[in-house]
Amino acid sequence: MTPDAARWMTEAGAQLAQLHRAWTTGALAEVPIGHLWDVVRITGRLGRLALARAAMLNAAIGPVLEVPARGVVEVVVPPGTAAAWPKMRGTFAVASGHLICPVPPMLRAGGGGRSPRYWLVPPTGPHYATDPDALCESVAAELLRYARAAELLRHDTYGHPDAAVDRGAR
């Protein structure tokens, strides 16, 4: 564990002794949500695409966990974000509870009966929270892209003139 990551987690309310005990045994540690940061949970593929889009816009990207068993990524955002986060399909913002973390910068960990989690972005970089505006805009843009693709598929399947001819020829 890096000193910066330990400081980030203890400032959020985690106890250093509990972090050390969990991580020396290969377990996951609980770090409180709501004091220094909130968390936005986004369905896996949508979250990864939105984060890539935000990074392309040079937005600050803070720690991000992938939780395959839940099919989500958990993005650390500044405090207050959960209260302002709009209702968007595939997202859920929280301002309380715990972020269940593997030791940074370890990319894989799972223990104590919990499912594995992976750091996509460990808390060892220059940013300790993701820009919530850029994340929100990126999620909205990806949802719009999904909707357009679905509309094109629906239109091609049911609205294409050849499809009517093919159905009528049977």
Side-chain angles (χ1 to χ4, degrees):
M1 173 173 43
T2 67
D4 287 343
R7 184 178 70 247
W8 177 75
M9 292 180 177
T10 56
E11 286 176 359
Q15 299 298 312
L16 188 57
Q18 291 173 343
L19 292 175
H20 180 72
R21 186 173 35 257
W23 290 337
T24 57
T25 62
L28 299 167
E30 294 184 353
V31 181
I33 297 170
H35 177 64
L36 289 182
W37 33 266
D38 293 349
V39 170
V40 176
R41 293 185 176 115
I42 310 170
T43 56
R45 184 167 188 263
L46 174 62
R48 286 186 302 277
L49 289 170
L51 286 163
R53 180 182 289 269
M56 286 180 7
L57 298 172
N58 293 319
I61 305 295
V64 179
L65 280 169
E66 183 163 8
V67 187
R70 295 175 91 183
V72 299
V73 294
E74 297 179 329
V75 183
V76 173
V77 292
T81 299
W85 190 260
K87 292 188 186 292
M88 286 193 290
R89 192 178 103 227
T91 70
F92 185 73
V94 294
S96 62
H98 290 89
L99 189 64
I100 310 302
C101 303
V103 61
M106 181 187 291
L107 298 180
R108 292 179 177 256
R114 292 200 170 124
S115 62
R117 292 163 179 264
Y118 314 90
W119 285 110
L120 293 178
V121 181
T124 56
H127 303 290
Y128 290 108
T130 296
D131 178 332
D133 295 330
L135 181 63
C136 186
E137 289 172 16
S138 295
V139 169
E142 287 301 321
L143 288 172
L144 180 59
R145 192 174 66 81
Y146 283 5
R148 286 181 178 156
E151 179 63 24
L152 286 173
L153 286 173
R154 188 180 64 77
H155 178 63
D156 282 349
T157 303
Y158 298 109
H160 193 278
D162 291 342
V165 171
D166 289 343
R167 282 193 304 269
R170 291 182 192 185

PDB file of all heavy atoms in Angstrom, residues 57-95:
ATOM      1  N   LEU A  57     -11.659  13.820 -22.628  1.00  0.00           N
ATOM      2  CA  LEU A  57     -11.930  15.252 -22.460  1.00  0.00           C
ATOM      3  C   LEU A  57     -10.991  15.889 -21.435  1.00  0.00           C
ATOM      4  O   LEU A  57     -11.192  17.025 -21.028  1.00  0.00           O
ATOM      5  CB  LEU A  57     -13.381  15.452 -22.031  1.00  0.00           C
ATOM      6  CG  LEU A  57     -14.441  14.961 -23.021  1.00  0.00           C
ATOM      7  CD1 LEU A  57     -15.831  15.030 -22.410  1.00  0.00           C
ATOM      8  CD2 LEU A  57     -14.368  15.771 -24.307  1.00  0.00           C
ATOM      9  N   ASN A  58      -9.992  15.115 -20.993  1.00  0.00           N
ATOM     10  CA  ASN A  58      -9.008  15.557 -19.994  1.00  0.00           C
ATOM     11  C   ASN A  58      -9.634  15.882 -18.645  1.00  0.00           C
ATOM     12  O   ASN A  58      -9.139  16.748 -17.923  1.00  0.00           O
ATOM     13  CB  ASN A  58      -8.190  16.750 -20.516  1.00  0.00           C
ATOM     14  CG  ASN A  58      -7.307  16.354 -21.671  1.00  0.00           C
ATOM     15  OD1 ASN A  58      -6.698  15.287 -21.646  1.00  0.00           O
ATOM     16  ND2 ASN A  58      -7.269  17.183 -22.698  1.00  0.00           N
ATOM     17  N   ALA A  59     -10.715  15.216 -18.311  1.00  0.00           N
ATOM     18  CA  ALA A  59     -11.339  15.399 -16.999  1.00  0.00           C
ATOM     19  C   ALA A  59     -10.513  14.674 -15.938  1.00  0.00           C
ATOM     20  O   ALA A  59      -9.843  13.678 -16.225  1.00  0.00           O
ATOM     21  CB  ALA A  59     -12.755  14.839 -17.017  1.00  0.00           C
ATOM     22  N   ALA A  60     -10.578  15.169 -14.726  1.00  0.00           N
ATOM     23  CA  ALA A  60      -9.919  14.496 -13.610  1.00  0.00           C
ATOM     24  C   ALA A  60     -10.615  13.165 -13.365  1.00  0.00           C
ATOM     25  O   ALA A  60     -11.839  13.107 -13.259  1.00  0.00           O
ATOM     26  CB  ALA A  60     -10.001  15.369 -12.362  1.00  0.00           C
ATOM     27  N   ILE A  61      -9.840  12.091 -13.299  1.00  0.00           N
ATOM     28  CA  ILE A  61     -10.379  10.760 -13.010  1.00  0.00           C
ATOM     29  C   ILE A  61      -9.722  10.286 -11.718  1.00  0.00           C
ATOM     30  O   ILE A  61      -8.508  10.143 -11.635  1.00  0.00           O
ATOM     31  CB  ILE A  61     -10.079   9.749 -14.147  1.00  0.00           C
ATOM     32  CG1 ILE A  61     -10.586  10.261 -15.493  1.00  0.00           C
ATOM     33  CG2 ILE A  61     -10.658   8.376 -13.795  1.00  0.00           C
ATOM     34  CD1 ILE A  61     -12.087  10.399 -15.605  1.00  0.00           C
ATOM     35  N   GLY A  62     -10.555  10.065 -10.710  1.00  0.00           N
ATOM     36  CA  GLY A  62     -10.067   9.589  -9.421  1.00  0.00           C
ATOM     37  C   GLY A  62     -10.180   8.080  -9.334  1.00  0.00           C
ATOM     38  O   GLY A  62     -10.361   7.403 -10.346  1.00  0.00           O
ATOM     39  N   PRO A  63     -10.101   7.532  -8.137  1.00  0.00           N
ATOM     40  CA  PRO A  63     -10.154   6.084  -7.957  1.00  0.00           C
ATOM     41  C   PRO A  63     -11.444   5.471  -8.507  1.00  0.00           C
ATOM     42  O   PRO A  63     -12.533   6.029  -8.349  1.00  0.00           O
ATOM     43  CB  PRO A  63     -10.076   5.915  -6.444  1.00  0.00           C
ATOM     44  CG  PRO A  63      -9.366   7.147  -5.976  1.00  0.00           C
ATOM     45  CD  PRO A  63      -9.854   8.233  -6.881  1.00  0.00           C
ATOM     46  N   VAL A  64     -11.270   4.311  -9.138  1.00  0.00           N
ATOM     47  CA  VAL A  64     -12.400   3.581  -9.714  1.00  0.00           C
ATOM     48  C   VAL A  64     -12.191   2.095  -9.444  1.00  0.00           C
ATOM     49  O   VAL A  64     -11.119   1.555  -9.737  1.00  0.00           O
ATOM     50  CB  VAL A  64     -12.516   3.804 -11.241  1.00  0.00           C
ATOM     51  CG1 VAL A  64     -13.683   3.010 -11.816  1.00  0.00           C
ATOM     52  CG2 VAL A  64     -12.635   5.285 -11.580  1.00  0.00           C
ATOM     53  N   LEU A  65     -13.210   1.455  -8.899  1.00  0.00           N
ATOM     54  CA  LEU A  65     -13.200   0.007  -8.682  1.00  0.00           C
ATOM     55  C   LEU A  65     -14.144  -0.661  -9.668  1.00  0.00           C
ATOM     56  O   LEU A  65     -15.219  -0.132  -9.958  1.00  0.00           O
ATOM     57  CB  LEU A  65     -13.691  -0.329  -7.271  1.00  0.00           C
ATOM     58  CG  LEU A  65     -12.710  -0.171  -6.139  1.00  0.00           C
ATOM     59  CD1 LEU A  65     -13.435  -0.272  -4.801  1.00  0.00           C
ATOM     60  CD2 LEU A  65     -11.615  -1.213  -6.223  1.00  0.00           C
ATOM     61  N   GLU A  66     -13.748  -1.840 -10.148  1.00  0.00           N
ATOM     62  CA  GLU A  66     -14.668  -2.664 -10.918  1.00  0.00           C
ATOM     63  C   GLU A  66     -15.103  -3.811 -10.018  1.00  0.00           C
ATOM     64  O   GLU A  66     -14.277  -4.434  -9.344  1.00  0.00           O
ATOM     65  CB  GLU A  66     -14.024  -3.205 -12.184  1.00  0.00           C
ATOM     66  CG  GLU A  66     -15.016  -4.009 -13.004  1.00  0.00           C
ATOM     67  CD  GLU A  66     -14.582  -4.220 -14.433  1.00  0.00           C
ATOM     68  OE1 GLU A  66     -13.444  -3.887 -14.780  1.00  0.00           O
ATOM     69  OE2 GLU A  66     -15.408  -4.732 -15.196  1.00  0.00           O
ATOM     70  N   VAL A  67     -16.421  -4.076  -9.985  1.00  0.00           N
ATOM     71  CA  VAL A  67     -16.982  -5.131  -9.156  1.00  0.00           C
ATOM     72  C   VAL A  67     -17.735  -6.085 -10.086  1.00  0.00           C
ATOM     73  O   VAL A  67     -18.936  -5.922 -10.324  1.00  0.00           O
ATOM     74  CB  VAL A  67     -17.921  -4.549  -8.074  1.00  0.00           C
ATOM     75  CG1 VAL A  67     -18.371  -5.639  -7.115  1.00  0.00           C
ATOM     76  CG2 VAL A  67     -17.248  -3.403  -7.324  1.00  0.00           C
ATOM     77  N   PRO A  68     -17.035  -7.070 -10.652  1.00  0.00           N
ATOM     78  CA  PRO A  68     -17.650  -7.949 -11.650  1.00  0.00           C
ATOM     79  C   PRO A  68     -18.900  -8.687 -11.149  1.00  0.00           C
ATOM     80  O   PRO A  68     -19.856  -8.853 -11.910  1.00  0.00           O
ATOM     81  CB  PRO A  68     -16.538  -8.939 -11.996  1.00  0.00           C
ATOM     82  CG  PRO A  68     -15.270  -8.254 -11.605  1.00  0.00           C
ATOM     83  CD  PRO A  68     -15.624  -7.372 -10.449  1.00  0.00           C
ATOM     84  N   ALA A  69     -18.916  -9.109  -9.909  1.00  0.00           N
ATOM     85  CA  ALA A  69     -20.069  -9.851  -9.398  1.00  0.00           C
ATOM     86  C   ALA A  69     -21.339  -9.011  -9.393  1.00  0.00           C
ATOM     87  O   ALA A  69     -22.438  -9.534  -9.522  1.00  0.00           O
ATOM     88  CB  ALA A  69     -19.786 -10.370  -7.981  1.00  0.00           C
ATOM     89  N   ARG A  70     -21.195  -7.704  -9.252  1.00  0.00           N
ATOM     90  CA  ARG A  70     -22.351  -6.800  -9.269  1.00  0.00           C
ATOM     91  C   ARG A  70     -22.552  -6.173 -10.638  1.00  0.00           C
ATOM     92  O   ARG A  70     -23.536  -5.494 -10.872  1.00  0.00           O
ATOM     93  CB  ARG A  70     -22.164  -5.688  -8.233  1.00  0.00           C
ATOM     94  CG  ARG A  70     -22.136  -6.211  -6.812  1.00  0.00           C
ATOM     95  CD  ARG A  70     -21.830  -5.117  -5.847  1.00  0.00           C
ATOM     96  NE  ARG A  70     -23.086  -4.516  -5.407  1.00  0.00           N
ATOM     97  CZ  ARG A  70     -23.166  -3.482  -4.602  1.00  0.00           C
ATOM     98  NH1 ARG A  70     -22.064  -2.905  -4.165  1.00  0.00           N
ATOM     99  NH2 ARG A  70     -24.330  -3.001  -4.236  1.00  0.00           N
ATOM    100  N   GLY A  71     -21.563  -6.355 -11.532  1.00  0.00           N
ATOM    101  CA  GLY A  71     -21.655  -5.781 -12.864  1.00  0.00           C
ATOM    102  C   GLY A  71     -21.582  -4.272 -12.867  1.00  0.00           C
ATOM    103  O   GLY A  71     -22.230  -3.626 -13.690  1.00  0.00           O
ATOM    104  N   VAL A  72     -20.785  -3.701 -11.952  1.00  0.00           N
ATOM    105  CA  VAL A  72     -20.690  -2.240 -11.855  1.00  0.00           C
ATOM    106  C   VAL A  72     -19.244  -1.791 -11.732  1.00  0.00           C
ATOM    107  O   VAL A  72     -18.360  -2.577 -11.376  1.00  0.00           O
ATOM    108  CB  VAL A  72     -21.481  -1.674 -10.645  1.00  0.00           C
ATOM    109  CG1 VAL A  72     -22.958  -1.990 -10.744  1.00  0.00           C
ATOM    110  CG2 VAL A  72     -20.905  -2.147  -9.326  1.00  0.00           C
ATOM    111  N   VAL A  73     -19.056  -0.506 -12.017  1.00  0.00           N
ATOM    112  CA  VAL A  73     -17.841   0.185 -11.605  1.00  0.00           C
ATOM    113  C   VAL A  73     -18.273   1.189 -10.544  1.00  0.00           C
ATOM    114  O   VAL A  73     -19.382   1.718 -10.587  1.00  0.00           O
ATOM    115  CB  VAL A  73     -17.109   0.882 -12.779  1.00  0.00           C
ATOM    116  CG1 VAL A  73     -16.577  -0.129 -13.766  1.00  0.00           C
ATOM    117  CG2 VAL A  73     -17.968   1.897 -13.474  1.00  0.00           C
ATOM    118  N   GLU A  74     -17.404   1.393  -9.569  1.00  0.00           N
ATOM    119  CA  GLU A  74     -17.673   2.335  -8.489  1.00  0.00           C
ATOM    120  C   GLU A  74     -16.677   3.481  -8.621  1.00  0.00           C
ATOM    121  O   GLU A  74     -15.474   3.268  -8.522  1.00  0.00           O
ATOM    122  CB  GLU A  74     -17.556   1.640  -7.129  1.00  0.00           C
ATOM    123  CG  GLU A  74     -18.595   0.549  -6.970  1.00  0.00           C
ATOM    124  CD  GLU A  74     -18.511  -0.197  -5.654  1.00  0.00           C
ATOM    125  OE1 GLU A  74     -17.394  -0.339  -5.096  1.00  0.00           O
ATOM    126  OE2 GLU A  74     -19.560  -0.650  -5.184  1.00  0.00           O
ATOM    127  N   VAL A  75     -17.207   4.670  -8.859  1.00  0.00           N
ATOM    128  CA  VAL A  75     -16.390   5.846  -9.146  1.00  0.00           C
ATOM    129  C   VAL A  75     -16.439   6.794  -7.955  1.00  0.00           C
ATOM    130  O   VAL A  75     -17.524   7.210  -7.524  1.00  0.00           O
ATOM    131  CB  VAL A  75     -16.904   6.567 -10.419  1.00  0.00           C
ATOM    132  CG1 VAL A  75     -16.005   7.750 -10.756  1.00  0.00           C
ATOM    133  CG2 VAL A  75     -17.009   5.600 -11.595  1.00  0.00           C
ATOM    134  N   VAL A  76     -15.277   7.134  -7.433  1.00  0.00           N
ATOM    135  CA  VAL A  76     -15.182   8.076  -6.323  1.00  0.00           C
ATOM    136  C   VAL A  76     -15.347   9.496  -6.878  1.00  0.00           C
ATOM    137  O   VAL A  76     -14.667   9.884  -7.828  1.00  0.00           O
ATOM    138  CB  VAL A  76     -13.834   7.916  -5.593  1.00  0.00           C
ATOM    139  CG1 VAL A  76     -13.642   9.009  -4.547  1.00  0.00           C
ATOM    140  CG2 VAL A  76     -13.748   6.532  -4.956  1.00  0.00           C
ATOM    141  N   VAL A  77     -16.277  10.235  -6.283  1.00  0.00           N
ATOM    142  CA  VAL A  77     -16.593  11.609  -6.703  1.00  0.00           C
ATOM    143  C   VAL A  77     -16.599  12.506  -5.465  1.00  0.00           C
ATOM    144  O   VAL A  77     -16.674  12.017  -4.339  1.00  0.00           O
ATOM    145  CB  VAL A  77     -17.958  11.666  -7.435  1.00  0.00           C
ATOM    146  CG1 VAL A  77     -17.892  10.954  -8.780  1.00  0.00           C
ATOM    147  CG2 VAL A  77     -19.064  11.074  -6.580  1.00  0.00           C
ATOM    148  N   PRO A  78     -16.542  13.814  -5.633  1.00  0.00           N
ATOM    149  CA  PRO A  78     -16.522  14.720  -4.476  1.00  0.00           C
ATOM    150  C   PRO A  78     -17.792  14.590  -3.621  1.00  0.00           C
ATOM    151  O   PRO A  78     -18.854  14.207  -4.120  1.00  0.00           O
ATOM    152  CB  PRO A  78     -16.451  16.117  -5.111  1.00  0.00           C
ATOM    153  CG  PRO A  78     -15.864  15.902  -6.449  1.00  0.00           C
ATOM    154  CD  PRO A  78     -16.379  14.556  -6.896  1.00  0.00           C
ATOM    155  N   PRO A  79     -17.682  14.946  -2.321  1.00  0.00           N
ATOM    156  CA  PRO A  79     -18.861  14.895  -1.460  1.00  0.00           C
ATOM    157  C   PRO A  79     -19.937  15.846  -1.981  1.00  0.00           C
ATOM    158  O   PRO A  79     -19.632  16.906  -2.531  1.00  0.00           O
ATOM    159  CB  PRO A  79     -18.339  15.327  -0.093  1.00  0.00           C
ATOM    160  CG  PRO A  79     -17.069  16.046  -0.361  1.00  0.00           C
ATOM    161  CD  PRO A  79     -16.508  15.487  -1.639  1.00  0.00           C
ATOM    162  N   GLY A  80     -21.179  15.435  -1.826  1.00  0.00           N
ATOM    163  CA  GLY A  80     -22.301  16.235  -2.303  1.00  0.00           C
ATOM    164  C   GLY A  80     -22.783  15.814  -3.679  1.00  0.00           C
ATOM    165  O   GLY A  80     -23.879  16.173  -4.098  1.00  0.00           O
ATOM    166  N   THR A  81     -21.967  15.049  -4.389  1.00  0.00           N
ATOM    167  CA  THR A  81     -22.344  14.608  -5.735  1.00  0.00           C
ATOM    168  C   THR A  81     -23.584  13.723  -5.696  1.00  0.00           C
ATOM    169  O   THR A  81     -24.464  13.851  -6.552  1.00  0.00           O
ATOM    170  CB  THR A  81     -21.182  13.853  -6.412  1.00  0.00           C
ATOM    171  OG1 THR A  81     -20.065  14.741  -6.525  1.00  0.00           O
ATOM    172  CG2 THR A  81     -21.567  13.345  -7.786  1.00  0.00           C
ATOM    173  N   ALA A  82     -23.682  12.840  -4.718  1.00  0.00           N
ATOM    174  CA  ALA A  82     -24.821  11.913  -4.670  1.00  0.00           C
ATOM    175  C   ALA A  82     -26.141  12.668  -4.578  1.00  0.00           C
ATOM    176  O   ALA A  82     -27.123  12.288  -5.223  1.00  0.00           O
ATOM    177  CB  ALA A  82     -24.678  10.948  -3.492  1.00  0.00           C
ATOM    178  N   ALA A  83     -26.173  13.746  -3.811  1.00  0.00           N
ATOM    179  CA  ALA A  83     -27.410  14.525  -3.668  1.00  0.00           C
ATOM    180  C   ALA A  83     -27.808  15.219  -4.967  1.00  0.00           C
ATOM    181  O   ALA A  83     -28.992  15.409  -5.237  1.00  0.00           O
ATOM    182  CB  ALA A  83     -27.245  15.568  -2.560  1.00  0.00           C
ATOM    183  N   ALA A  84     -26.822  15.568  -5.789  1.00  0.00           N
ATOM    184  CA  ALA A  84     -27.091  16.300  -7.027  1.00  0.00           C
ATOM    185  C   ALA A  84     -27.153  15.393  -8.257  1.00  0.00           C
ATOM    186  O   ALA A  84     -27.504  15.859  -9.335  1.00  0.00           O
ATOM    187  CB  ALA A  84     -26.004  17.354  -7.231  1.00  0.00           C
ATOM    188  N   TRP A  85     -26.799  14.112  -8.102  1.00  0.00           N
ATOM    189  CA  TRP A  85     -26.721  13.212  -9.255  1.00  0.00           C
ATOM    190  C   TRP A  85     -28.119  12.988  -9.841  1.00  0.00           C
ATOM    191  O   TRP A  85     -29.041  12.615  -9.123  1.00  0.00           O
ATOM    192  CB  TRP A  85     -26.098  11.886  -8.847  1.00  0.00           C
ATOM    193  CG  TRP A  85     -25.770  11.020 -10.017  1.00  0.00           C
ATOM    194  CD1 TRP A  85     -26.502   9.976 -10.492  1.00  0.00           C
ATOM    195  CD2 TRP A  85     -24.634  11.133 -10.880  1.00  0.00           C
ATOM    196  NE1 TRP A  85     -25.891   9.428 -11.587  1.00  0.00           N
ATOM    197  CE2 TRP A  85     -24.736  10.120 -11.850  1.00  0.00           C
ATOM    198  CE3 TRP A  85     -23.538  11.997 -10.921  1.00  0.00           C
ATOM    199  CZ2 TRP A  85     -23.789   9.949 -12.854  1.00  0.00           C
ATOM    200  CZ3 TRP A  85     -22.598  11.810 -11.915  1.00  0.00           C
ATOM    201  CH2 TRP A  85     -22.728  10.797 -12.861  1.00  0.00           C
ATOM    202  N   PRO A  86     -28.286  13.195 -11.160  1.00  0.00           N
ATOM    203  CA  PRO A  86     -29.612  12.983 -11.762  1.00  0.00           C
ATOM    204  C   PRO A  86     -29.943  11.498 -11.878  1.00  0.00           C
ATOM    205  O   PRO A  86     -29.053  10.657 -11.879  1.00  0.00           O
ATOM    206  CB  PRO A  86     -29.456  13.609 -13.157  1.00  0.00           C
ATOM    207  CG  PRO A  86     -28.005  13.503 -13.452  1.00  0.00           C
ATOM    208  CD  PRO A  86     -27.290  13.636 -12.129  1.00  0.00           C
ATOM    209  N   LYS A  87     -31.226  11.199 -11.969  1.00  0.00           N
ATOM    210  CA  LYS A  87     -31.651   9.817 -12.181  1.00  0.00           C
ATOM    211  C   LYS A  87     -31.358   9.465 -13.631  1.00  0.00           C
ATOM    212  O   LYS A  87     -31.955  10.025 -14.534  1.00  0.00           O
ATOM    213  CB  LYS A  87     -33.131   9.655 -11.880  1.00  0.00           C
ATOM    214  CG  LYS A  87     -33.458   9.818 -10.421  1.00  0.00           C
ATOM    215  CD  LYS A  87     -34.910   9.464 -10.148  1.00  0.00           C
ATOM    216  CE  LYS A  87     -35.301   9.752  -8.735  1.00  0.00           C
ATOM    217  NZ  LYS A  87     -34.714   8.945  -7.734  1.00  0.00           N
ATOM    218  N   MET A  88     -30.397   8.575 -13.810  1.00  0.00           N
ATOM    219  CA  MET A  88     -30.033   8.115 -15.151  1.00  0.00           C
ATOM    220  C   MET A  88     -29.959   6.598 -15.131  1.00  0.00           C
ATOM    221  O   MET A  88     -29.440   6.012 -14.159  1.00  0.00           O
ATOM    222  CB  MET A  88     -28.668   8.669 -15.577  1.00  0.00           C
ATOM    223  CG  MET A  88     -28.682  10.124 -15.944  1.00  0.00           C
ATOM    224  SD  MET A  88     -27.167  10.640 -16.785  1.00  0.00           S
ATOM    225  CE  MET A  88     -25.965  10.550 -15.472  1.00  0.00           C
ATOM    226  N   ARG A  89     -30.469   5.999 -16.195  1.00  0.00           N
ATOM    227  CA  ARG A  89     -30.441   4.541 -16.308  1.00  0.00           C
ATOM    228  C   ARG A  89     -29.005   4.041 -16.136  1.00  0.00           C
ATOM    229  O   ARG A  89     -28.072   4.615 -16.672  1.00  0.00           O
ATOM    230  CB  ARG A  89     -30.968   4.127 -17.684  1.00  0.00           C
ATOM    231  CG  ARG A  89     -31.236   2.648 -17.790  1.00  0.00           C
ATOM    232  CD  ARG A  89     -31.806   2.286 -19.147  1.00  0.00           C
ATOM    233  NE  ARG A  89     -30.702   1.685 -19.894  1.00  0.00           N
ATOM    234  CZ  ARG A  89     -30.383   2.000 -21.129  1.00  0.00           C
ATOM    235  NH1 ARG A  89     -31.043   2.907 -21.785  1.00  0.00           N
ATOM    236  NH2 ARG A  89     -29.374   1.397 -21.708  1.00  0.00           N
ATOM    237  N   GLY A  90     -28.851   2.997 -15.363  1.00  0.00           N
ATOM    238  CA  GLY A  90     -27.545   2.372 -15.194  1.00  0.00           C
ATOM    239  C   GLY A  90     -26.643   3.032 -14.173  1.00  0.00           C
ATOM    240  O   GLY A  90     -25.481   2.664 -14.065  1.00  0.00           O
ATOM    241  N   THR A  91     -27.174   4.012 -13.416  1.00  0.00           N
ATOM    242  CA  THR A  91     -26.349   4.685 -12.414  1.00  0.00           C
ATOM    243  C   THR A  91     -27.087   4.767 -11.080  1.00  0.00           C
ATOM    244  O   THR A  91     -28.321   4.763 -11.035  1.00  0.00           O
ATOM    245  CB  THR A  91     -25.963   6.121 -12.836  1.00  0.00           C
ATOM    246  OG1 THR A  91     -27.121   6.960 -12.789  1.00  0.00           O
ATOM    247  CG2 THR A  91     -25.357   6.152 -14.222  1.00  0.00           C
ATOM    248  N   PHE A  92     -26.304   4.857 -10.011  1.00  0.00           N
ATOM    249  CA  PHE A  92     -26.849   5.038  -8.677  1.00  0.00           C
ATOM    250  C   PHE A  92     -25.765   5.703  -7.833  1.00  0.00           C
ATOM    251  O   PHE A  92     -24.657   5.183  -7.728  1.00  0.00           O
ATOM    252  CB  PHE A  92     -27.248   3.689  -8.073  1.00  0.00           C
ATOM    253  CG  PHE A  92     -27.922   3.801  -6.742  1.00  0.00           C
ATOM    254  CD1 PHE A  92     -29.220   4.277  -6.641  1.00  0.00           C
ATOM    255  CD2 PHE A  92     -27.251   3.445  -5.591  1.00  0.00           C
ATOM    256  CE1 PHE A  92     -29.846   4.390  -5.408  1.00  0.00           C
ATOM    257  CE2 PHE A  92     -27.871   3.553  -4.348  1.00  0.00           C
ATOM    258  CZ  PHE A  92     -29.167   4.027  -4.273  1.00  0.00           C
ATOM    259  N   ALA A  93     -26.059   6.837  -7.251  1.00  0.00           N
ATOM    260  CA  ALA A  93     -25.083   7.573  -6.445  1.00  0.00           C
ATOM    261  C   ALA A  93     -25.379   7.381  -4.962  1.00  0.00           C
ATOM    262  O   ALA A  93     -26.541   7.387  -4.549  1.00  0.00           O
ATOM    263  CB  ALA A  93     -25.114   9.048  -6.807  1.00  0.00           C
ATOM    264  N   VAL A  94     -24.321   7.210  -4.170  1.00  0.00           N
ATOM    265  CA  VAL A  94     -24.485   6.997  -2.730  1.00  0.00           C
ATOM    266  C   VAL A  94     -23.575   7.942  -1.946  1.00  0.00           C
ATOM    267  O   VAL A  94     -22.470   8.265  -2.381  1.00  0.00           O
ATOM    268  CB  VAL A  94     -24.197   5.532  -2.327  1.00  0.00           C
ATOM    269  CG1 VAL A  94     -25.223   4.592  -2.926  1.00  0.00           C
ATOM    270  CG2 VAL A  94     -22.805   5.099  -2.722  1.00  0.00           C
ATOM    271  N   ALA A  95     -24.089   8.369  -0.794  1.00  0.00           N
ATOM    272  CA  ALA A  95     -23.344   9.268   0.079  1.00  0.00           C
ATOM    273  C   ALA A  95     -23.096   8.652   1.449  1.00  0.00           C
ATOM    274  O   ALA A  95     -22.663   9.341   2.368  1.00  0.00           O
ATOM    275  CB  ALA A  95     -24.094  10.590   0.236  1.00  0.00           C
TER     276      ALA A  95
END
